[in-house]
Amino acid sequence: MLQFKESNRAKEQLEKVSLTGSGKYAPSLHLQLIELEDDLKRLKSLVTRADKIAHKRDVLLPKWLPIVEDYLTKEGKQNEDNPIFAYCTVWHFDVGNLSRGIEFGLRAIEFNQPMASSIRRKWPGFIADTVFDWASTQAEKGNSIEPYYGQVFRLVANHWKLPEQVTAKYYKFAGLALLRSKNGNVSPSHVGDVQRLQQADGYLAKAAELHPKVQVKTVRNKIAMRLRAIAELNAQ
């Protein structure tokens, strides 16, 4: 009975948050977490991935973001574990808002916030895998993978300690990205820029160094052939 009353009180206050767009009307974190549990149960009951994404985008993020924004701006609050912040971060990635997802994810790392309980990976691994999957889809369509891939690649290469396989696939993908044609196909033969070819080969070599089974030998041979062909053409 008590939890039912608390749940109703939380809903009333959260409705005020939604109407005003201000987190100052939020109920206590205890009541927020009761409501969050209800939201997660409703989300889990949805069958299709499309419905889940739409619900996160149209219902959950508008509902909880004012509270998260308030949490992020209040001095000292970031030292407290906040599952709502964690879930909103993950939902940003789920709905395709990589800009906010990466922004929130980096702040979660900065604040040493625990990952959302439904996900087993830590923040760097989750961000790296999610952005990599997004970039792979974009590259196959011939779309740009920037600025998000480059932003995360720099973190993977220079700051985050991830399994060698993960770091290697980032280097490999960065090398292949320099060799892609406008339609998304990897083709060293269409690249006429020697520096670009050498940079791509450097990334691929680093990938092989990190993880020998990363499978870059064939494309590196093609790069070498292309560099020889350009050198012979210039010599003429």
Side-chain angles (χ1 to χ4, degrees):
M1 186 65 178
L2 177 61
Q3 184 164 337
F4 177 76
K5 289 181 178 179
E6 289 181 332
S7 180
N8 281 342
R9 189 159 80 250
K11 285 180 171 62
E12 289 172 1
Q13 290 179 262
L14 287 166
E15 285 175 5
K16 194 169 185 179
V17 169
S18 296
L19 287 171
T20 62
S22 173
K24 70 179 182 179
Y25 299 107
S28 67
L29 182 59
H30 168 69
L31 294 180
Q32 291 176 37
L33 295 180
I34 291 174
E35 181 66 10
L36 177 64
E37 282 300 314
D38 287 344
D39 279 346
L40 293 175
K41 288 176 184 176
R42 283 191 289 271
L43 180 64
K44 191 174 182 179
S45 72
L46 299 175
V47 177
T48 69
R49 182 173 180 272
D51 285 344
K52 290 178 187 290
I53 290 173
H55 190 71
K56 292 170 186 175
R57 182 188 63 238
D58 302 333
V59 178
L60 296 179
L61 282 170
K63 176 179 180 177
W64 291 108
L65 272 179
I67 293 172
V68 170
E69 296 286 1
D70 188 64
Y71 159 79
L72 289 173
T73 55
K74 281 190 176 177
E75 191 72 27
K77 279 284 186 181
Q78 297 80 25
N79 296 325
E80 302 172 4
D81 292 354
N82 193 313
I84 297 164
F85 171 50
Y87 272 102
C88 282
T89 303
V90 172
W91 292 338
H92 274 310
F93 283 105
D94 291 342
V95 304
N97 190 345
L98 267 68
S99 178
R100 295 304 299 281
I102 294 171
E103 176 193 345
F104 276 33
L106 295 182
R107 298 193 77 176
I109 294 171
E110 177 188 350
F111 303 150
N112 199 29
Q113 279 290 317
M115 169 55 80
S117 60
S118 61
I119 296 175
R120 295 181 180 178
R121 285 165 293 175
K122 294 182 179 179
W123 286 113
F126 171 77
I127 296 170
D129 286 344
T130 305
V131 171
F132 185 88
D133 291 344
W134 170 85
S136 297
T137 299
Q138 298 306 311
E140 288 173 3
K141 296 177 179 178
N143 298 334
S144 174
I145 60 173
E146 299 302 339
Y148 308 121
Y149 189 83
Q151 182 182 358
V152 176
F153 177 39
R154 287 188 290 274
L155 293 167
V156 170
N158 301 313
H159 299 288
W160 292 345
K161 290 189 180 298
L162 297 171
E164 289 84 355
Q165 296 94 320
V166 175
T167 308
K169 75 177 183 179
Y170 257 83
Y171 272 101
K172 177 181 177 179
F173 194 87
L176 297 181
L178 293 170
L179 306 174
R180 290 189 187 275
S181 59
K182 290 182 179 180
N183 64 8
N185 293 329
V186 176
S187 176
S189 62
H190 88 280
V191 180
D193 185 335
V194 169
Q195 186 175 357
R196 187 182 182 93
L197 289 164
Q198 290 173 337
Q199 184 181 9
D201 189 59
Y203 284 152
L204 297 174
K206 180 64 175 180
E209 176 188 332
L210 288 164
H211 186 54
K213 295 182 180 180
V214 73
Q215 296 183 338
V216 295
K217 184 176 180 180
T218 299
V219 70
R220 291 193 69 198
N221 287 339
K222 291 181 178 179
I223 291 173
M225 289 172 60
R226 180 59 176 160
L227 286 170
R228 286 194 298 270
I230 292 174
E232 289 171 4
L233 185 63
N234 290 338
Q236 295 175 3

